[in-house]
Amino acid sequence: MRVEVTRPRDLGAAELAAWRAMQDADPGLANPFMSAGYAIAVDQVIAGARVAVLREGSGRITGFLPYELHGRASAGAIGGWLSLGQGLVHAPGLELDARELLRSCGLSAFAFGTLVPGQPWFDPYAAKRLDSAVMDLSGGFAAFSEALRAKGSKVEKQTRYKERKMGRQAGEVTFAFDVRDDASLALVRKWKSDQYRAMGRADRFAKPWVVDLVGRLHGTHDDGFAGVLSMLYADGVPVAGHFGLRSDHTLVTWFPVYDPEFAKFSPGLILHLHMAEEAAALGVRHIDMGPAVGWRYKQELRTHSIEVAEGVVRRRSPAGAAHWLRHAPVARGRDLILGNRALYGMADRTLRTVGRWRSRPAGGQSASEPPQR
């Protein structure tokens, strides 16, 4: 096997066609965050974007590993701080050694977050596994609704009731699946930044490169890869929105949010049901909502889950050992908190308290925190 490292933007037509063919051949690789379009967009906004192109001795391409450099010899999945689908895009039956792949790329360590299933070369290095919630639309929206009812869920019935109530009290409810104006995207960004601050979490949109990336993806509508902005309205006024990525058959939710003034109507759930109905009509088979831990609405809407993994591959080298010393203790402390319900609850309450304090208007009371629905 030969490995060539290049920038995603420098891939030629043959490489891009091979990448797309591998995703088409394996539904497990259909996550849009694993598309060449995502890697190329990230390459436009950060300097360290790379992709390893794997070839057989005959020259046939057998895989692509997109990643971003975090230093001279360490890397993570490309756009990994944001990505909800990571791993090696590959031809069927590919065999390789993960550490040998890193050596060929000149890397001592490679960190992954939401590693998709079917990545046997990285699985031995997974330190944590999470359930990613999926809305199965493969049988259409009616079948999805029936699957929810079959597991005893009343979420659709309750959400439809709240939608009718919002229509009576706030005005006619309407929905648009693919909104392309910049003003709507800016509103979703603002709502999401407010939500991050209220929860005491890092505001992703405080980083200019994230704003740039999302803007570029919002303007991307290629075959097999697109950014999708969906909006929910009451009497023509935006009340909820979501920006995510889709491939031919998979939509990944990324930035769902709503106006907290309408929280009593659960506009986030209303939005998700409309998204699912429209997506199913367009041929989308799955909506991947990402890891469900701590998110009640994901647990209510999912029909099943897929297992994703977090971990780090390190070579047995001085640089690999140095990477372990820098990162392993912090990761273990984080995992200790996340894996203990009491500790997680304490940390979450502390972050939310700090968030409310930071969101307090000058001379006024604390701004209301948007609930997670």
PDB file of all heavy atoms in Angstrom, residues 79-115:
ATOM      1  N   GLY A  79     -11.942  18.761  10.960  1.00  0.00           N
ATOM      2  CA  GLY A  79     -13.062  19.475  11.558  1.00  0.00           C
ATOM      3  C   GLY A  79     -13.612  18.756  12.763  1.00  0.00           C
ATOM      4  O   GLY A  79     -14.800  18.858  13.083  1.00  0.00           O
ATOM      5  N   GLY A  80     -12.748  18.028  13.462  1.00  0.00           N
ATOM      6  CA  GLY A  80     -13.188  17.109  14.498  1.00  0.00           C
ATOM      7  C   GLY A  80     -13.931  17.756  15.644  1.00  0.00           C
ATOM      8  O   GLY A  80     -14.779  17.123  16.270  1.00  0.00           O
ATOM      9  N   TRP A  81     -13.652  19.008  15.942  1.00  0.00           N
ATOM     10  CA  TRP A  81     -14.345  19.718  17.028  1.00  0.00           C
ATOM     11  C   TRP A  81     -15.824  19.860  16.707  1.00  0.00           C
ATOM     12  O   TRP A  81     -16.652  20.015  17.599  1.00  0.00           O
ATOM     13  CB  TRP A  81     -13.703  21.092  17.212  1.00  0.00           C
ATOM     14  CG  TRP A  81     -14.152  21.806  18.445  1.00  0.00           C
ATOM     15  CD1 TRP A  81     -14.141  21.332  19.720  1.00  0.00           C
ATOM     16  CD2 TRP A  81     -14.674  23.136  18.516  1.00  0.00           C
ATOM     17  NE1 TRP A  81     -14.610  22.284  20.588  1.00  0.00           N
ATOM     18  CE2 TRP A  81     -14.939  23.400  19.872  1.00  0.00           C
ATOM     19  CE3 TRP A  81     -14.915  24.130  17.581  1.00  0.00           C
ATOM     20  CZ2 TRP A  81     -15.456  24.622  20.315  1.00  0.00           C
ATOM     21  CZ3 TRP A  81     -15.425  25.348  18.009  1.00  0.00           C
ATOM     22  CH2 TRP A  81     -15.695  25.597  19.359  1.00  0.00           C
ATOM     23  N   LEU A  82     -16.148  19.784  15.424  1.00  0.00           N
ATOM     24  CA  LEU A  82     -17.517  19.955  14.968  1.00  0.00           C
ATOM     25  C   LEU A  82     -18.111  18.684  14.367  1.00  0.00           C
ATOM     26  O   LEU A  82     -19.325  18.536  14.297  1.00  0.00           O
ATOM     27  CB  LEU A  82     -17.584  21.062  13.902  1.00  0.00           C
ATOM     28  CG  LEU A  82     -17.097  22.448  14.302  1.00  0.00           C
ATOM     29  CD1 LEU A  82     -17.003  23.333  13.066  1.00  0.00           C
ATOM     30  CD2 LEU A  82     -18.053  23.070  15.312  1.00  0.00           C
ATOM     31  N   SER A  83     -17.262  17.791  13.900  1.00  0.00           N
ATOM     32  CA  SER A  83     -17.701  16.668  13.074  1.00  0.00           C
ATOM     33  C   SER A  83     -18.514  15.637  13.851  1.00  0.00           C
ATOM     34  O   SER A  83     -18.148  15.241  14.955  1.00  0.00           O
ATOM     35  CB  SER A  83     -16.492  15.974  12.444  1.00  0.00           C
ATOM     36  OG  SER A  83     -16.894  14.803  11.779  1.00  0.00           O
ATOM     37  N   LEU A  84     -19.596  15.165  13.224  1.00  0.00           N
ATOM     38  CA  LEU A  84     -20.441  14.127  13.805  1.00  0.00           C
ATOM     39  C   LEU A  84     -20.366  12.829  13.016  1.00  0.00           C
ATOM     40  O   LEU A  84     -21.280  12.006  13.059  1.00  0.00           O
ATOM     41  CB  LEU A  84     -21.889  14.624  13.879  1.00  0.00           C
ATOM     42  CG  LEU A  84     -22.112  15.793  14.845  1.00  0.00           C
ATOM     43  CD1 LEU A  84     -23.538  16.309  14.762  1.00  0.00           C
ATOM     44  CD2 LEU A  84     -21.784  15.376  16.274  1.00  0.00           C
ATOM     45  N   GLY A  85     -19.277  12.647  12.295  1.00  0.00           N
ATOM     46  CA  GLY A  85     -19.036  11.407  11.573  1.00  0.00           C
ATOM     47  C   GLY A  85     -17.582  11.357  11.164  1.00  0.00           C
ATOM     48  O   GLY A  85     -17.121  12.178  10.374  1.00  0.00           O
ATOM     49  N   GLN A  86     -16.826  10.403  11.707  1.00  0.00           N
ATOM     50  CA  GLN A  86     -15.384  10.374  11.476  1.00  0.00           C
ATOM     51  C   GLN A  86     -14.930   8.956  11.136  1.00  0.00           C
ATOM     52  O   GLN A  86     -15.565   7.980  11.512  1.00  0.00           O
ATOM     53  CB  GLN A  86     -14.648  10.875  12.730  1.00  0.00           C
ATOM     54  CG  GLN A  86     -15.041  12.293  13.125  1.00  0.00           C
ATOM     55  CD  GLN A  86     -14.464  12.709  14.465  1.00  0.00           C
ATOM     56  OE1 GLN A  86     -13.525  12.109  14.977  1.00  0.00           O
ATOM     57  NE2 GLN A  86     -15.028  13.756  15.049  1.00  0.00           N
ATOM     58  N   GLY A  87     -13.801   8.897  10.429  1.00  0.00           N
ATOM     59  CA  GLY A  87     -13.235   7.598  10.106  1.00  0.00           C
ATOM     60  C   GLY A  87     -12.608   7.571   8.737  1.00  0.00           C
ATOM     61  O   GLY A  87     -12.467   8.605   8.063  1.00  0.00           O
ATOM     62  N   LEU A  88     -12.234   6.378   8.316  1.00  0.00           N
ATOM     63  CA  LEU A  88     -11.577   6.148   7.037  1.00  0.00           C
ATOM     64  C   LEU A  88     -12.627   5.761   5.997  1.00  0.00           C
ATOM     65  O   LEU A  88     -13.387   4.812   6.193  1.00  0.00           O
ATOM     66  CB  LEU A  88     -10.549   5.026   7.194  1.00  0.00           C
ATOM     67  CG  LEU A  88      -9.713   4.634   5.989  1.00  0.00           C
ATOM     68  CD1 LEU A  88      -8.707   5.719   5.638  1.00  0.00           C
ATOM     69  CD2 LEU A  88      -8.978   3.324   6.277  1.00  0.00           C
ATOM     70  N   VAL A  89     -12.702   6.502   4.902  1.00  0.00           N
ATOM     71  CA  VAL A  89     -13.556   6.132   3.778  1.00  0.00           C
ATOM     72  C   VAL A  89     -12.773   5.124   2.952  1.00  0.00           C
ATOM     73  O   VAL A  89     -11.642   5.403   2.529  1.00  0.00           O
ATOM     74  CB  VAL A  89     -13.928   7.371   2.938  1.00  0.00           C
ATOM     75  CG1 VAL A  89     -14.791   6.974   1.745  1.00  0.00           C
ATOM     76  CG2 VAL A  89     -14.655   8.396   3.808  1.00  0.00           C
ATOM     77  N   HIS A  90     -13.364   3.943   2.710  1.00  0.00           N
ATOM     78  CA  HIS A  90     -12.535   2.854   2.187  1.00  0.00           C
ATOM     79  C   HIS A  90     -13.298   1.937   1.238  1.00  0.00           C
ATOM     80  O   HIS A  90     -14.533   1.882   1.239  1.00  0.00           O
ATOM     81  CB  HIS A  90     -12.008   2.024   3.355  1.00  0.00           C
ATOM     82  CG  HIS A  90     -13.111   1.433   4.205  1.00  0.00           C
ATOM     83  ND1 HIS A  90     -13.649   0.189   3.966  1.00  0.00           N
ATOM     84  CD2 HIS A  90     -13.771   1.941   5.282  1.00  0.00           C
ATOM     85  CE1 HIS A  90     -14.595  -0.055   4.855  1.00  0.00           C
ATOM     86  NE2 HIS A  90     -14.689   0.987   5.668  1.00  0.00           N
ATOM     87  N   ALA A  91     -12.535   1.210   0.466  1.00  0.00           N
ATOM     88  CA  ALA A  91     -13.087   0.179  -0.406  1.00  0.00           C
ATOM     89  C   ALA A  91     -13.387  -1.067   0.435  1.00  0.00           C
ATOM     90  O   ALA A  91     -12.766  -1.281   1.491  1.00  0.00           O
ATOM     91  CB  ALA A  91     -12.099  -0.160  -1.511  1.00  0.00           C
ATOM     92  N   PRO A  92     -14.322  -1.912   0.009  1.00  0.00           N
ATOM     93  CA  PRO A  92     -14.632  -3.131   0.757  1.00  0.00           C
ATOM     94  C   PRO A  92     -13.408  -4.028   0.926  1.00  0.00           C
ATOM     95  O   PRO A  92     -12.584  -4.166   0.022  1.00  0.00           O
ATOM     96  CB  PRO A  92     -15.690  -3.815  -0.122  1.00  0.00           C
ATOM     97  CG  PRO A  92     -16.299  -2.715  -0.928  1.00  0.00           C
ATOM     98  CD  PRO A  92     -15.188  -1.749  -1.184  1.00  0.00           C
ATOM     99  N   GLY A  93     -13.276  -4.607   2.120  1.00  0.00           N
ATOM    100  CA  GLY A  93     -12.216  -5.573   2.373  1.00  0.00           C
ATOM    101  C   GLY A  93     -10.842  -4.980   2.623  1.00  0.00           C
ATOM    102  O   GLY A  93      -9.851  -5.727   2.657  1.00  0.00           O
ATOM    103  N   LEU A  94     -10.757  -3.676   2.814  1.00  0.00           N
ATOM    104  CA  LEU A  94      -9.453  -3.056   3.046  1.00  0.00           C
ATOM    105  C   LEU A  94      -8.815  -3.600   4.320  1.00  0.00           C
ATOM    106  O   LEU A  94      -9.458  -3.706   5.360  1.00  0.00           O
ATOM    107  CB  LEU A  94      -9.603  -1.541   3.155  1.00  0.00           C
ATOM    108  CG  LEU A  94      -8.325  -0.757   3.476  1.00  0.00           C
ATOM    109  CD1 LEU A  94      -7.335  -0.853   2.323  1.00  0.00           C
ATOM    110  CD2 LEU A  94      -8.658   0.703   3.776  1.00  0.00           C
ATOM    111  N   GLU A  95      -7.544  -3.931   4.240  1.00  0.00           N
ATOM    112  CA  GLU A  95      -6.789  -4.381   5.401  1.00  0.00           C
ATOM    113  C   GLU A  95      -5.586  -3.470   5.592  1.00  0.00           C
ATOM    114  O   GLU A  95      -4.862  -3.174   4.629  1.00  0.00           O
ATOM    115  CB  GLU A  95      -6.313  -5.826   5.213  1.00  0.00           C
ATOM    116  CG  GLU A  95      -7.444  -6.844   5.120  1.00  0.00           C
ATOM    117  CD  GLU A  95      -6.928  -8.265   4.996  1.00  0.00           C
ATOM    118  OE1 GLU A  95      -5.687  -8.449   5.044  1.00  0.00           O
ATOM    119  OE2 GLU A  95      -7.765  -9.178   4.851  1.00  0.00           O
ATOM    120  N   LEU A  96      -5.408  -3.015   6.824  1.00  0.00           N
ATOM    121  CA  LEU A  96      -4.248  -2.171   7.129  1.00  0.00           C
ATOM    122  C   LEU A  96      -4.022  -2.158   8.620  1.00  0.00           C
ATOM    123  O   LEU A  96      -4.874  -2.581   9.405  1.00  0.00           O
ATOM    124  CB  LEU A  96      -4.445  -0.748   6.587  1.00  0.00           C
ATOM    125  CG  LEU A  96      -5.641   0.075   7.097  1.00  0.00           C
ATOM    126  CD1 LEU A  96      -5.352   0.755   8.429  1.00  0.00           C
ATOM    127  CD2 LEU A  96      -5.979   1.164   6.078  1.00  0.00           C
ATOM    128  N   ASP A  97      -2.874  -1.655   9.027  1.00  0.00           N
ATOM    129  CA  ASP A  97      -2.527  -1.466  10.424  1.00  0.00           C
ATOM    130  C   ASP A  97      -2.572   0.024  10.719  1.00  0.00           C
ATOM    131  O   ASP A  97      -1.938   0.828  10.014  1.00  0.00           O
ATOM    132  CB  ASP A  97      -1.132  -2.022  10.710  1.00  0.00           C
ATOM    133  CG  ASP A  97      -0.721  -1.796  12.152  1.00  0.00           C
ATOM    134  OD1 ASP A  97      -1.138  -2.584  13.011  1.00  0.00           O
ATOM    135  OD2 ASP A  97       0.000  -0.809  12.411  1.00  0.00           O
ATOM    136  N   ALA A  98      -3.321   0.412  11.739  1.00  0.00           N
ATOM    137  CA  ALA A  98      -3.523   1.828  12.018  1.00  0.00           C
ATOM    138  C   ALA A  98      -2.214   2.549  12.316  1.00  0.00           C
ATOM    139  O   ALA A  98      -1.981   3.669  11.839  1.00  0.00           O
ATOM    140  CB  ALA A  98      -4.495   1.988  13.188  1.00  0.00           C
ATOM    141  N   ARG A  99      -1.342   1.928  13.085  1.00  0.00           N
ATOM    142  CA  ARG A  99      -0.080   2.592  13.423  1.00  0.00           C
ATOM    143  C   ARG A  99       0.824   2.721  12.197  1.00  0.00           C
ATOM    144  O   ARG A  99       1.537   3.719  12.040  1.00  0.00           O
ATOM    145  CB  ARG A  99       0.620   1.827  14.542  1.00  0.00           C
ATOM    146  CG  ARG A  99      -0.036   2.039  15.904  1.00  0.00           C
ATOM    147  CD  ARG A  99       0.574   1.172  16.968  1.00  0.00           C
ATOM    148  NE  ARG A  99       0.113   1.549  18.303  1.00  0.00           N
ATOM    149  CZ  ARG A  99       0.229   0.798  19.376  1.00  0.00           C
ATOM    150  NH1 ARG A  99       0.813  -0.407  19.263  1.00  0.00           N
ATOM    151  NH2 ARG A  99      -0.202   1.197  20.541  1.00  0.00           N
ATOM    152  N   GLU A 100       0.767   1.734  11.335  1.00  0.00           N
ATOM    153  CA  GLU A 100       1.557   1.826  10.112  1.00  0.00           C
ATOM    154  C   GLU A 100       1.014   2.936   9.209  1.00  0.00           C
ATOM    155  O   GLU A 100       1.783   3.644   8.539  1.00  0.00           O
ATOM    156  CB  GLU A 100       1.526   0.488   9.368  1.00  0.00           C
ATOM    157  CG  GLU A 100       2.346   0.461   8.090  1.00  0.00           C
ATOM    158  CD  GLU A 100       3.827   0.712   8.313  1.00  0.00           C
ATOM    159  OE1 GLU A 100       4.322   0.505   9.449  1.00  0.00           O
ATOM    160  OE2 GLU A 100       4.499   1.123   7.336  1.00  0.00           O
ATOM    161  N   LEU A 101      -0.304   3.108   9.204  1.00  0.00           N
ATOM    162  CA  LEU A 101      -0.896   4.206   8.431  1.00  0.00           C
ATOM    163  C   LEU A 101      -0.416   5.547   8.973  1.00  0.00           C
ATOM    164  O   LEU A 101      -0.064   6.447   8.197  1.00  0.00           O
ATOM    165  CB  LEU A 101      -2.416   4.121   8.503  1.00  0.00           C
ATOM    166  CG  LEU A 101      -3.198   5.269   7.853  1.00  0.00           C
ATOM    167  CD1 LEU A 101      -2.875   5.375   6.364  1.00  0.00           C
ATOM    168  CD2 LEU A 101      -4.699   5.079   8.065  1.00  0.00           C
ATOM    169  N   LEU A 102      -0.380   5.689  10.300  1.00  0.00           N
ATOM    170  CA  LEU A 102       0.115   6.933  10.887  1.00  0.00           C
ATOM    171  C   LEU A 102       1.565   7.175  10.487  1.00  0.00           C
ATOM    172  O   LEU A 102       1.951   8.316  10.163  1.00  0.00           O
ATOM    173  CB  LEU A 102      -0.007   6.882  12.404  1.00  0.00           C
ATOM    174  CG  LEU A 102      -1.242   7.575  13.007  1.00  0.00           C
ATOM    175  CD1 LEU A 102      -2.520   6.956  12.481  1.00  0.00           C
ATOM    176  CD2 LEU A 102      -1.196   7.543  14.533  1.00  0.00           C
ATOM    177  N   ARG A 103       2.383   6.113  10.532  1.00  0.00           N
ATOM    178  CA  ARG A 103       3.785   6.276  10.151  1.00  0.00           C
ATOM    179  C   ARG A 103       3.901   6.782   8.718  1.00  0.00           C
ATOM    180  O   ARG A 103       4.707   7.667   8.423  1.00  0.00           O
ATOM    181  CB  ARG A 103       4.518   4.942  10.296  1.00  0.00           C
ATOM    182  CG  ARG A 103       6.034   5.049  10.110  1.00  0.00           C
ATOM    183  CD  ARG A 103       6.657   3.699   9.839  1.00  0.00           C
ATOM    184  NE  ARG A 103       6.177   3.138   8.576  1.00  0.00           N
ATOM    185  CZ  ARG A 103       6.597   3.519   7.383  1.00  0.00           C
ATOM    186  NH1 ARG A 103       7.507   4.480   7.249  1.00  0.00           N
ATOM    187  NH2 ARG A 103       6.110   2.957   6.292  1.00  0.00           N
ATOM    188  N   SER A 104       3.073   6.246   7.828  1.00  0.00           N
ATOM    189  CA  SER A 104       3.115   6.659   6.428  1.00  0.00           C
ATOM    190  C   SER A 104       2.693   8.119   6.253  1.00  0.00           C
ATOM    191  O   SER A 104       3.103   8.778   5.295  1.00  0.00           O
ATOM    192  CB  SER A 104       2.212   5.755   5.584  1.00  0.00           C
ATOM    193  OG  SER A 104       2.649   4.417   5.636  1.00  0.00           O
ATOM    194  N   CYS A 105       1.864   8.603   7.187  1.00  0.00           N
ATOM    195  CA  CYS A 105       1.417  10.002   7.128  1.00  0.00           C
ATOM    196  C   CYS A 105       2.363  10.943   7.863  1.00  0.00           C
ATOM    197  O   CYS A 105       2.144  12.163   7.865  1.00  0.00           O
ATOM    198  CB  CYS A 105       0.021  10.131   7.735  1.00  0.00           C
ATOM    199  SG  CYS A 105      -1.281   9.263   6.844  1.00  0.00           S
ATOM    200  N   GLY A 106       3.385  10.391   8.531  1.00  0.00           N
ATOM    201  CA  GLY A 106       4.287  11.225   9.313  1.00  0.00           C
ATOM    202  C   GLY A 106       3.693  11.666  10.631  1.00  0.00           C
ATOM    203  O   GLY A 106       4.089  12.698  11.184  1.00  0.00           O
ATOM    204  N   LEU A 107       2.751  10.873  11.166  1.00  0.00           N
ATOM    205  CA  LEU A 107       2.059  11.224  12.403  1.00  0.00           C
ATOM    206  C   LEU A 107       2.445  10.283  13.534  1.00  0.00           C
ATOM    207  O   LEU A 107       2.734   9.105  13.314  1.00  0.00           O
ATOM    208  CB  LEU A 107       0.540  11.155  12.200  1.00  0.00           C
ATOM    209  CG  LEU A 107      -0.062  12.084  11.146  1.00  0.00           C
ATOM    210  CD1 LEU A 107      -1.546  11.785  10.972  1.00  0.00           C
ATOM    211  CD2 LEU A 107       0.146  13.542  11.520  1.00  0.00           C
ATOM    212  N   SER A 108       2.399  10.823  14.761  1.00  0.00           N
ATOM    213  CA  SER A 108       2.627   9.994  15.940  1.00  0.00           C
ATOM    214  C   SER A 108       1.330   9.692  16.672  1.00  0.00           C
ATOM    215  O   SER A 108       1.270   8.746  17.457  1.00  0.00           O
ATOM    216  CB  SER A 108       3.592  10.701  16.899  1.00  0.00           C
ATOM    217  OG  SER A 108       3.055  11.956  17.304  1.00  0.00           O
ATOM    218  N   ALA A 109       0.282  10.506  16.427  1.00  0.00           N
ATOM    219  CA  ALA A 109      -0.984  10.304  17.119  1.00  0.00           C
ATOM    220  C   ALA A 109      -2.128  10.807  16.246  1.00  0.00           C
ATOM    221  O   ALA A 109      -1.995  11.793  15.515  1.00  0.00           O
ATOM    222  CB  ALA A 109      -0.990  11.031  18.461  1.00  0.00           C
ATOM    223  N   PHE A 110      -3.251  10.094  16.321  1.00  0.00           N
ATOM    224  CA  PHE A 110      -4.469  10.489  15.607  1.00  0.00           C
ATOM    225  C   PHE A 110      -5.653  10.298  16.539  1.00  0.00           C
ATOM    226  O   PHE A 110      -5.928   9.193  17.001  1.00  0.00           O
ATOM    227  CB  PHE A 110      -4.657   9.648  14.345  1.00  0.00           C
ATOM    228  CG  PHE A 110      -5.988   9.853  13.669  1.00  0.00           C
ATOM    229  CD1 PHE A 110      -6.252  11.013  12.962  1.00  0.00           C
ATOM    230  CD2 PHE A 110      -6.978   8.876  13.741  1.00  0.00           C
ATOM    231  CE1 PHE A 110      -7.488  11.211  12.339  1.00  0.00           C
ATOM    232  CE2 PHE A 110      -8.207   9.054  13.124  1.00  0.00           C
ATOM    233  CZ  PHE A 110      -8.458  10.225  12.419  1.00  0.00           C
ATOM    234  N   ALA A 111      -6.363  11.391  16.853  1.00  0.00           N
ATOM    235  CA  ALA A 111      -7.513  11.345  17.757  1.00  0.00           C
ATOM    236  C   ALA A 111      -8.800  11.352  16.946  1.00  0.00           C
ATOM    237  O   ALA A 111      -8.925  12.075  15.956  1.00  0.00           O
ATOM    238  CB  ALA A 111      -7.483  12.548  18.696  1.00  0.00           C
ATOM    239  N   PHE A 112      -9.762  10.536  17.367  1.00  0.00           N
ATOM    240  CA  PHE A 112     -11.063  10.517  16.711  1.00  0.00           C
ATOM    241  C   PHE A 112     -12.153  10.670  17.766  1.00  0.00           C
ATOM    242  O   PHE A 112     -11.980  10.334  18.932  1.00  0.00           O
ATOM    243  CB  PHE A 112     -11.252   9.229  15.911  1.00  0.00           C
ATOM    244  CG  PHE A 112     -10.987   7.959  16.655  1.00  0.00           C
ATOM    245  CD1 PHE A 112     -11.968   7.360  17.429  1.00  0.00           C
ATOM    246  CD2 PHE A 112      -9.735   7.340  16.598  1.00  0.00           C
ATOM    247  CE1 PHE A 112     -11.729   6.189  18.120  1.00  0.00           C
ATOM    248  CE2 PHE A 112      -9.482   6.162  17.276  1.00  0.00           C
ATOM    249  CZ  PHE A 112     -10.483   5.582  18.054  1.00  0.00           C
ATOM    250  N   GLY A 113     -13.286  11.202  17.320  1.00  0.00           N
ATOM    251  CA  GLY A 113     -14.397  11.437  18.244  1.00  0.00           C
ATOM    252  C   GLY A 113     -15.589  10.564  17.916  1.00  0.00           C
ATOM    253  O   GLY A 113     -15.780   9.503  18.501  1.00  0.00           O
ATOM    254  N   THR A 114     -16.416  10.969  16.978  1.00  0.00           N
ATOM    255  CA  THR A 114     -17.593  10.172  16.609  1.00  0.00           C
ATOM    256  C   THR A 114     -17.218   9.209  15.483  1.00  0.00           C
ATOM    257  O   THR A 114     -17.667   9.346  14.343  1.00  0.00           O
ATOM    258  CB  THR A 114     -18.753  11.085  16.176  1.00  0.00           C
ATOM    259  OG1 THR A 114     -18.270  12.062  15.240  1.00  0.00           O
ATOM    260  CG2 THR A 114     -19.361  11.802  17.376  1.00  0.00           C
ATOM    261  N   LEU A 115     -16.412   8.213  15.818  1.00  0.00           N
ATOM    262  CA  LEU A 115     -15.979   7.210  14.847  1.00  0.00           C
ATOM    263  C   LEU A 115     -17.167   6.333  14.466  1.00  0.00           C
ATOM    264  O   LEU A 115     -17.814   5.739  15.324  1.00  0.00           O
ATOM    265  CB  LEU A 115     -14.875   6.346  15.449  1.00  0.00           C
ATOM    266  CG  LEU A 115     -14.271   5.277  14.533  1.00  0.00           C
ATOM    267  CD1 LEU A 115     -13.326   5.923  13.521  1.00  0.00           C
ATOM    268  CD2 LEU A 115     -13.536   4.220  15.347  1.00  0.00           C
TER     269      LEU A 115
END
